[in-house]
Amino acid sequence: MSDLPLLGAVACGSRYDAISNGGSDDVITLPLVDIDRQLVEKRLLRKLDLRVAFLVLVYIMNIMDRTNVAAARLRGFEEDLGMTGNQFNTLTSILFVGYLLTQTPSNMILHHMKRPSLYLSSCMAVWAAITICMSAVQTYHAALILRFFIGFVEAAFFPGAVFLLSRWYKRNELGLRTTFLFCGTSVSYAFSALIASGILGSLDGVLGFTAWRWLFFVEGALTIAIAVSAIWILPDFPSTPSIWLLPEEQLLAQQRMEEELVTRIEYEGKSKENFSGLIEALMDWRVWWLGIILNLIISATSFTNFFPTLSATMGYSATTSLFLCVPPWILGTATSFIVARHSDVTDDRFWHIVGPLLVGVAGFILAISTMNTTARYVSLYEPPIISPVAYAVSLTWAMNTFSQSQSKRAAAIALINSIASAGSITSSYFWPFSWGPSYVNSYLMCISASVMCIAMCWVFREHLSRCNEAAEAEEKGLGLPEGFRYIL
């Protein structure tokens, strides 16, 4: 930690020449000027939020290229490739095998890079190219291999993007931004259904290709175009010189992160950087506990990969079924922003995870209780509330908990997300075709995962609460000012 004065002092009139960037050898030198922190911080956050909005667009394409097989299924994808039994479920789950393997090493590499924007956009272009190749597959096994490699490359993006956010935003700002990023899931499910319905309805037979082949080709080509733009739009780390930031904004970005580390370092001691952060993350039981919590959330929200299938159980055409997928995800997105913002304002994570899970359970129970078309469609509105906000708030809780070391945070985020991804591998088999159209057993498994998740969240909250009580007692005994506290 730098011994130089905090920027708050500068706002009061202090003057200085330079400040360490918090770990890099680079040093930014500024003219001797007074800085109005509040004005500069507002300007910095506005610029950052605009670039995070583009990060959401990238994530939308990430989800779209991952889940387009669900829409292709409605227009002969399974039949053309000769799939039988649970082969489609295997095709869905194999992506997450590659996804699981790559996340942790990718984040450790990203932590040491100067230009994460170049790394993430390159990965985006590669998975887009593989998606285009999906349009030419002739056999199930060829599709299986390509799906594995799509997951292998896609895995770099989400944990990398979350780590990138944690390098720019403070603890009480992360919940809303993480949810904003993860809401790309909801927006993607909504708009991918619209795009898919347009492609599947209008391009079937054009140039002799079936509609589902055009779906993979068009969406892959669109992703490549966005990947090229991402090279210049995605943010790098605060320590990397940026042409879109003024010198005082770059300085403040670095200083904000230094301020975040001060009380945590005093509370737990400074952690070593580099790859020792991976060892620390592996040895910390809280990483595994939070990973299982997110794994259960993924299992409870496994319906997302089969949403068009569930919509089709109401008996409408493929195009109508895809259109019906849109409103629930739009409502889920709007609700997520409200819940995430309230979570940041109140400094609460537990109830903002448990609340959406309980709403999802109510939707699952409604779906089990009846085959009435209207009631089942209403039940589809409740589970999408789980997917974006419960996962995003849980991941924010993890970032709040592991904030003392950049390398440990990078490893912890990736490890937790990897453990969570394992839920996508197993839960893909929650929805076999033979359990339809009621899918009672599928919904019961989602309810079980939700209840287990709520119990584990409560245990974790009690642990953090005891840690805070112990810190408070020690401070009172030694006459120290109030220091770091875990967010519950």
Side-chain angles (χ1 to χ4, degrees), residues 33 68 93 97 100 114 119 145 200 210 284 322 345 347 349 352 363:
V33 295
N68 46 21
S93 68
V97 175
L100 186 150
K114 292 284 188 181
Y119 175 71
I145 293 170
L200 296 177
T210 54
D284 194 329
L322 288 169
V345 170
D347 270 348
R349 303 301 183 213
H352 292 81

Short mmCIF file of all heavy atoms in Angstrom, two decimals, residues 33 68 93 97 100 114 119 145 200 210 284 322 345 347 349 352 363:
data_model
loop_
_atom_site.label_atom_id
_atom_site.label_comp_id
_atom_site.label_asym_id
_atom_site.label_seq_id
_atom_site.Cartn_x
_atom_site.Cartn_y
_atom_site.Cartn_z
N VAL A 33 -2.01 20.44 -9.25
CA VAL A 33 -3.33 21.09 -9.30
C VAL A 33 -4.20 20.52 -8.21
O VAL A 33 -4.00 19.42 -7.73
CB VAL A 33 -3.99 20.88 -10.67
CG1 VAL A 33 -3.21 21.56 -11.77
CG2 VAL A 33 -4.15 19.38 -10.98
N ASN A 68 -28.19 -20.94 -28.43
CA ASN A 68 -28.97 -20.96 -29.67
C ASN A 68 -29.40 -22.37 -30.08
O ASN A 68 -30.29 -22.54 -30.91
CB ASN A 68 -28.22 -20.28 -30.82
CG ASN A 68 -26.77 -20.69 -30.90
OD1 ASN A 68 -26.38 -21.74 -30.39
ND2 ASN A 68 -25.95 -19.86 -31.56
N SER A 93 -24.89 -29.94 -22.08
CA SER A 93 -23.99 -29.97 -20.92
C SER A 93 -22.51 -29.95 -21.29
O SER A 93 -21.69 -29.46 -20.51
CB SER A 93 -24.29 -31.21 -20.06
OG SER A 93 -23.92 -32.38 -20.74
N VAL A 97 -18.44 -28.34 -19.67
CA VAL A 97 -17.23 -29.07 -19.32
C VAL A 97 -16.01 -28.24 -19.72
O VAL A 97 -15.09 -28.01 -18.93
CB VAL A 97 -17.20 -30.45 -20.00
CG1 VAL A 97 -15.87 -31.15 -19.73
CG2 VAL A 97 -18.36 -31.31 -19.53
N LEU A 100 -15.85 -25.10 -17.53
CA LEU A 100 -15.32 -25.33 -16.19
C LEU A 100 -13.80 -25.38 -16.19
O LEU A 100 -13.13 -24.87 -15.29
CB LEU A 100 -15.92 -26.61 -15.64
CG LEU A 100 -15.63 -26.99 -14.18
CD1 LEU A 100 -16.80 -27.79 -13.61
CD2 LEU A 100 -14.36 -27.82 -14.06
N LYS A 114 -1.69 -6.47 -19.37
CA LYS A 114 -1.86 -5.03 -19.45
C LYS A 114 -3.13 -4.66 -20.20
O LYS A 114 -3.75 -3.64 -19.92
CB LYS A 114 -0.64 -4.39 -20.16
CG LYS A 114 0.67 -4.48 -19.40
CD LYS A 114 0.71 -3.46 -18.27
CE LYS A 114 2.09 -3.42 -17.62
NZ LYS A 114 2.12 -2.45 -16.51
N TYR A 119 -7.44 -9.25 -24.87
CA TYR A 119 -7.58 -10.68 -24.55
C TYR A 119 -9.04 -11.13 -24.66
O TYR A 119 -9.36 -12.13 -25.32
CB TYR A 119 -7.05 -10.93 -23.14
CG TYR A 119 -7.23 -12.34 -22.64
CD1 TYR A 119 -6.50 -13.39 -23.16
CD2 TYR A 119 -8.14 -12.62 -21.61
CE1 TYR A 119 -6.66 -14.69 -22.69
CE2 TYR A 119 -8.31 -13.90 -21.13
CZ TYR A 119 -7.58 -14.94 -21.68
OH TYR A 119 -7.74 -16.22 -21.22
N ILE A 145 -18.22 -31.90 -30.43
CA ILE A 145 -16.84 -31.39 -30.33
C ILE A 145 -16.82 -29.87 -30.40
O ILE A 145 -16.13 -29.20 -29.61
CB ILE A 145 -15.97 -32.00 -31.46
CG1 ILE A 145 -15.80 -33.51 -31.23
CG2 ILE A 145 -14.61 -31.32 -31.52
CD1 ILE A 145 -15.17 -34.23 -32.39
N LEU A 200 -35.45 -18.12 -38.14
CA LEU A 200 -36.06 -19.42 -38.41
C LEU A 200 -37.31 -19.30 -39.28
O LEU A 200 -37.66 -20.22 -40.02
CB LEU A 200 -36.42 -20.11 -37.08
CG LEU A 200 -35.25 -20.47 -36.17
CD1 LEU A 200 -35.75 -21.08 -34.86
CD2 LEU A 200 -34.29 -21.44 -36.86
N THR A 210 -31.06 -25.11 -44.36
CA THR A 210 -32.18 -25.09 -43.43
C THR A 210 -32.05 -23.91 -42.47
O THR A 210 -30.97 -23.34 -42.30
CB THR A 210 -32.23 -26.40 -42.61
OG1 THR A 210 -30.96 -26.59 -41.98
CG2 THR A 210 -32.53 -27.59 -43.50
N ASP A 284 -9.02 -21.73 1.03
CA ASP A 284 -10.05 -21.01 1.78
C ASP A 284 -11.40 -21.73 1.60
O ASP A 284 -11.95 -21.76 0.51
CB ASP A 284 -10.14 -19.58 1.28
CG ASP A 284 -10.95 -18.67 2.22
OD1 ASP A 284 -11.88 -19.19 2.88
OD2 ASP A 284 -10.64 -17.48 2.29
N LEU A 322 -41.42 -18.90 -29.32
CA LEU A 322 -40.25 -18.05 -29.12
C LEU A 322 -40.66 -16.64 -28.71
O LEU A 322 -40.01 -16.02 -27.87
CB LEU A 322 -39.41 -18.02 -30.41
CG LEU A 322 -38.64 -19.31 -30.72
CD1 LEU A 322 -38.06 -19.26 -32.13
CD2 LEU A 322 -37.52 -19.54 -29.71
N VAL A 345 -27.67 -0.35 -1.58
CA VAL A 345 -28.04 0.75 -0.68
C VAL A 345 -28.12 0.27 0.76
O VAL A 345 -27.68 0.97 1.69
CB VAL A 345 -29.39 1.37 -1.12
CG1 VAL A 345 -29.90 2.34 -0.06
CG2 VAL A 345 -29.22 2.10 -2.45
N ASP A 347 -26.65 -2.48 1.98
CA ASP A 347 -25.50 -3.32 2.35
C ASP A 347 -25.95 -4.70 2.82
O ASP A 347 -25.45 -5.24 3.81
CB ASP A 347 -24.65 -2.65 3.43
CG ASP A 347 -23.56 -1.77 2.83
OD1 ASP A 347 -23.33 -1.87 1.61
OD2 ASP A 347 -22.95 -0.99 3.57
N ARG A 349 -26.82 -8.71 1.39
CA ARG A 349 -26.75 -9.68 0.30
C ARG A 349 -27.70 -10.86 0.55
O ARG A 349 -28.37 -11.32 -0.36
CB ARG A 349 -25.32 -10.20 0.15
CG ARG A 349 -24.26 -9.13 -0.09
CD ARG A 349 -24.50 -8.31 -1.32
NE ARG A 349 -23.43 -7.33 -1.56
CZ ARG A 349 -23.63 -6.16 -2.11
NH1 ARG A 349 -24.85 -5.76 -2.46
NH2 ARG A 349 -22.61 -5.33 -2.31
N HIS A 352 -31.44 -10.50 -0.28
CA HIS A 352 -31.62 -10.20 -1.71
C HIS A 352 -31.27 -11.40 -2.59
O HIS A 352 -31.43 -11.34 -3.81
CB HIS A 352 -30.77 -8.99 -2.09
CG HIS A 352 -31.27 -7.72 -1.45
ND1 HIS A 352 -30.97 -7.38 -0.15
CD2 HIS A 352 -32.07 -6.72 -1.94
CE1 HIS A 352 -31.54 -6.22 0.15
NE2 HIS A 352 -32.21 -5.81 -0.90
N GLY A 363 -43.07 -20.06 -8.30
CA GLY A 363 -43.34 -20.32 -9.72
C GLY A 363 -43.26 -21.79 -10.06
O GLY A 363 -44.08 -22.32 -10.84
#
